[in-house]
Each structure stands twice: as structure tokens, then as C-alpha cells.
Amino acid sequence: MTTTASPTDRPSPWRDELRATLALAWPLILTNLSMSLIGATDVVMVGWLGPTELAAASLGFNLCMIAAIFCMGLVTATAPMMASERGAKAHSVRDIRRTFRQGLWVAVAIMIPIWLVLWQTETVLLTLGQQAELASKAQSYVRAYMWSILPFLWLIIARNFLSALEQPLWSLIIGTLGVFANAAFNYVLIFGKLGLPPLGLVGAGIGSILANVFMFLGMVAVISYHPKFRRYHLFGRWWRSDWPRFRALWKLGLPIGVTMGLEGGVFGVAVMLMGLIDTASVAAHAIALQVASVTFMVPMGLAQAATVRVGIGYGRRDAALIRRAGWTSFVMGTGFMAAMAVFMWLFPELLVAVFIDRDAAINAEVVQLAISFLAIAALFQIVDGAQVVGAGMLRGLHDTSVPMLIAAFGYWVVGIGVGAWLAFYQGWNGVGIWVGLATGLGIVAVLMLVRWSLRARLGLLP
């Protein structure tokens, strides 16, 4: 007697891809959230020192973040390279090791000029018109904090290695431990506990160094001793040069760094444009942007998963796997953001109330502006998720240069251009800036999706 398998029992490549993407993405999403919690902890503890210290630290931190985001984009190239190397040879060791080690080299190479610039933070901030007292305090903070960027970049490279092997859970575990370690280091050093003198802003910078070193050493321990990873011997003779791989990482990573820098920069400019309108617009913008930043962690994690899954297909020269991997992450990312958009449309007052007392008369203008911004941010959510996942899909194909140009056009020409025109020439004020941002991100999302859809005609497939 024979039995026929039911439709749900039959192998489904799309269902398998969905499972693989989910298994890879959820630890990455939570790891991204843990990194956000570390930043939030720093803000809270420095805020306890006083408004002047918080303002100075914010200036210094934002300056560091501009540099760190670019550098993070540069070393992000290790993810698609290691994924495609694993796809080409399932048991590849040497090529993955080469990419990992040269990623460490690239991080050191880019940080040397970055450190030289950050050392002159006071001069930079004074040139930008900031107050002398804030610039001086910011420099004392940055001259400690800036040394934490290198172990942070090395941590990103280690996370990319684990992601390429589709073993991201360790990144989540170490990232979670890092949240508590960062809080402990900051508390002791900023306020002078356990017999140590209070170091204030300098203590906050040193705490960040210790937290990032702690997390990186945790990664080193896992990678060096875990049975699944120790066979790669990633840290053996890491000092040996490999100039062809070093150049390949720069070629692939530099456009990613520029793209991420352009995206981060456009939001910085948006804040400055809000400041030209009024204080209430700045406050309302901060609330709407914070809501969007939290939900953004989900498509960002899916974009990282897409890079790895598409990269594996790229290495295998498997067009069907590339198609499934890309579209699966894209539908999941945009679907989640669409759900969040509906929530923001239906319950804007509830979201605003998390950040500000909506019943206080003094906050009435900020509350109304924030609600109006969230209405636009809901649409913004969908296109922002689409463009970040689209970029991740193309990175899996080692396609970074044209996406960089797309980002420059969409973010700066359309986003800032349309936003400034609507805000200041059409009288839309803050709503105009948000419409501009949403329009720019929409253009980027459409162009990324068109490029992905035409990948065979454009010669992007292996």
C-alpha cells in the first residue's frame, strides 16, 4: 500500500528559505537592539551629570558616530565576501580566514587618520560654531571614547564571521552581556565607585573602551575555542600581509561606507533644518525619529541576513537560491514595516506618550507636531525598510558602487532637496522635511528594487 505525501509535507524551497532567513535574522535583530541599548545607557548615565555634560557628550558622540558609521560600512564588506566564499566551498577555511584577517587590517588602517581628526575635536566643533565650553568638554570625552571604535570594528568583523557561518546566536549572547558590562563600567568610572575617583565624561569614554574590548574578547574566546569555529584559526599569524585581499576589501567596502555615511548624514542635516524652524519642531522630530529607529532594527537585521543568504547563493552560482533569498528577506522586511506603519497611523498618541507628557499644556505644540510627523513617518517606515533590505540584497551580489550613487541621489538630491523646498518655500515646515525624507527613501527603494530585478541583464549574477 502506498501513501501520497500531503502538500504540507512536500519539500518547499521557499519554506526552507523562510526558515533559514528567520533563524539567521532574529539573533541579528536582537543584537542590533542590544547595541542601541548600550547607546541609550550612555545617554542616561551622562545625563545624570547635568545638561552641560550631556550636551557636550552628545556633540562628541555624534562626531564619533559619523566616523564610526563610515568605518562600519567599510568592514561590512567582510560579510558578503565570507558568505560567498562559504557558498563556493562549503568547508572553506583559508579564504574565509584571509578575509577575516584583512578585515582587521582594514579597520586599523582606516582608524589611524580617523583618530588624528578626532583628537582635534575642540577645533572641529569651534569651527562649526559650537560654544567653547561645550567644545572643550566634548574633546575630553572624545579623546577617551575614540579608542573604543577599533575594538568595535573588530567586533563587527567577528559578528560578520558568525553570520556568514549562519551561527549568529553567539553575537546576541555577547551583545547582551555587553549591555550589562557597559552599564557597570560607566557607573563605576563616571561616578567614582569601588574606591575609584569620579572621572565624569572621561569615565564615560573609558567605560565604552572597556565594554567594546570586553565584547571583542568574548568573541575571540568563542571563535578560538568553540568546536565549530576553532578550525578556522582566525587569529593565527594575523599580522601577515595579504595585499590582494586587503585591496579587494577596500574596493567592495568603500562604497558601502560612503553609502552608510550618506544615510547617517542626511538625518543629521534634517535635525539642523528642524532647528531653523523652531525648538518644538526639533523635539517632535526627535520623538518621531526615535520611534522609527527602534522599528528599523528589524529590517536592518533582515538586510544583514539577506547579504549572507544571497552571498551564499552567489558563491554557489545558484540563481534560484539568490532569487529566493533576496525576495524572502524583502517581503519579510517590508511586511513588518507595513504592520508598524498601520500601528503608527492608528495609535500615534500612545507612541508620543512614551517620550513626553501629552497632557501637560507646555508640551501641547510638541505633541501635535510629533503626531503629524508620525503620520508621515508611517509611510517613511515602509520605504525605509524596503531600501535597507534592497541594499543588503545587492551587497550579497558584491554590488556596492551603483547603490552608493543611488543613495547619494535619493538621500541628498531628492530627500534634502524636496524637504528643504517644502519646508521653507512652500511653508510646510517640519512636515515638509519628513515628506522630503520619505520621498528620498522611496526613490532609493524603487531604484534598488529595479536594479535587483534586472540583476541578470546587468551582469550581476555569477
Side-chain angles (χ1 to χ4, degrees):
M1 180 176 178
T2 60
T3 58
T4 303
S6 67
T8 56
D9 295 330
R10 295 169 188 165
S12 170
W14 286 96
R15 187 166 59 243
D16 292 342
E17 184 58 40
L18 175 63
R19 291 170 178 165
T21 300
L22 277 173
L24 179 57
W26 75 261
L28 294 174
I29 292 167
L30 294 180
T31 302
N32 293 336
L33 285 170
S34 72
M35 295 297 103
S36 297
L37 282 175
I38 288 176
T41 302
D42 290 347
V43 170
V44 169
M45 289 195 174
V46 171
W48 292 345
L49 292 173
T52 301
E53 286 76 9
L54 179 58
S58 297
L59 287 172
F61 181 77
N62 287 334
L63 191 61
C64 289
M65 280 300 98
I66 292 172
I69 288 172
F70 168 76
C71 297
M72 185 170 66
L74 182 62
V75 301
T76 292
T78 57
M81 288 182 69
M82 287 189 284
S84 60
E85 287 152 7
R86 178 172 172 247
K89 297 179 181 178
H91 301 289
S92 175
V93 171
R94 182 174 179 272
D95 281 334
I96 290 177
R97 182 168 60 232
R98 289 177 64 197
T99 298
F100 182 91
R101 291 175 180 173
Q102 291 311 297
L104 303 181
W105 277 52
V106 166
V108 173
I110 191 58
M111 280 312 304
I112 292 173
I114 294 293
W115 280 329
L116 292 175
V117 173
L118 292 178
W119 192 258
Q120 303 300 323
T121 290
E122 184 173 8
T123 301
V124 172
L125 292 177
L126 289 174
T127 302
L128 294 175
Q130 298 298 323
Q131 299 176 30
E133 181 185 8
L134 293 180
S136 177
K137 288 181 178 292
Q139 177 166 280
S140 66
Y141 169 74
V142 169
R143 286 188 172 181
Y145 179 88
M146 68 182 196
W147 306 109
S148 72
I149 300 176
L150 181 60
F152 171 73
L153 296 178
W154 285 350
L155 176 66
I156 294 296
I157 296 165
R159 284 177 54 188
N160 289 345
F161 165 75
L162 295 177
S163 298
L165 267 62
E166 299 183 275
Q167 299 289 331
L169 186 59
W170 282 106
S171 298
L172 174 58
I173 293 171
I174 291 173
T176 302
L177 293 175
V179 173
F180 295 102
N182 180 71
F185 289 138
N186 276 357
Y187 183 69
V188 169
L189 294 170
I190 292 174
F191 304 106
K193 305 299 180 180
L194 301 180
L196 296 175
L199 298 177
L201 288 178
V202 174
I206 296 173
S208 296
I209 297 172
L210 295 176
N212 285 338
V213 169
F214 168 81
M215 288 187 287
F216 176 65
L217 291 179
M219 284 289 199
V220 171
V222 170
I223 291 170
S224 299
Y225 297 105
H226 194 285
K228 290 184 178 180
F229 313 130
R230 64 189 179 193
R231 69 187 183 91
Y232 289 88
H233 302 290
L234 295 182
F235 300 101
R237 298 183 181 180
W238 59 267
W239 56 86
R240 295 181 62 179
S241 62
D242 184 351
W243 299 117
R245 189 56 55 94
F246 183 82
R247 288 191 293 269
L249 276 169
W250 274 93
K251 181 179 179 181
L252 185 62
L254 189 58
I256 301 176
V258 172
T259 300
M260 294 179 67
L262 289 171
E263 184 175 6
V266 78
F267 288 102
V269 171
V271 172
M272 290 190 287
L273 291 176
M274 288 289 182
L276 296 177
I277 300 171
D278 54 39
T279 302
S281 294
V282 176
H285 175 76
I287 292 171
L289 190 60
Q290 187 60 47
V291 173
S293 297
V294 172
T295 57
F296 181 74
M297 294 298 106
V298 174
M300 182 179 175
L302 285 164
Q304 294 166 331
T307 296
V308 170
R309 294 295 301 165
V310 171
I312 291 173
Y314 184 84
R316 292 179 184 172
R317 300 179 177 272
D318 186 340
L321 175 56
I322 290 172
R323 182 180 70 256
R324 290 194 302 272
W327 285 119
T328 297
S329 293
F330 184 84
V331 171
M332 291 171 65
T334 53
F336 173 83
M337 293 303 253
M340 292 300 99
V342 172
F343 187 85
M344 290 168 67
W345 273 322
L346 293 177
F347 307 106
E349 295 90 353
L350 181 63
L351 293 170
V352 172
V354 173
F355 300 93
I356 194 170
D357 183 0
R358 64 182 182 181
D359 296 323
I362 195 174
N363 296 330
E365 184 180 4
V366 173
V367 169
Q368 289 304 312
L369 283 172
I371 290 172
S372 66
F373 292 171
L374 283 173
I376 309 300
L379 174 61
F380 169 100
Q381 291 275 281
I382 300 173
V383 294
D384 198 18
Q387 66 88 23
V388 73
V389 178
M393 292 152 60
L394 291 171
R395 283 171 195 159
L397 298 176
H398 294 208
D399 181 36
T400 58
S401 295
V402 172
M404 175 187 68
L405 299 176
I406 291 173
F409 172 74
Y411 298 152
W412 289 88
V413 178
V414 178
I416 293 298
V418 171
W421 178 71
L422 291 174
F424 301 108
Y425 292 95
Q426 299 300 311
W428 289 26
N429 294 324
V431 170
I433 293 173
W434 271 92
V435 170
L437 291 174
T439 303
L441 288 170
I443 293 293
V444 173
V446 169
L447 292 178
M448 293 284 193
L449 190 59
V450 168
R451 187 164 178 81
W452 167 261
S453 300
L454 298 177
R455 60 193 179 278
R457 296 184 189 180
L458 296 174
L460 300 179
L461 294 180

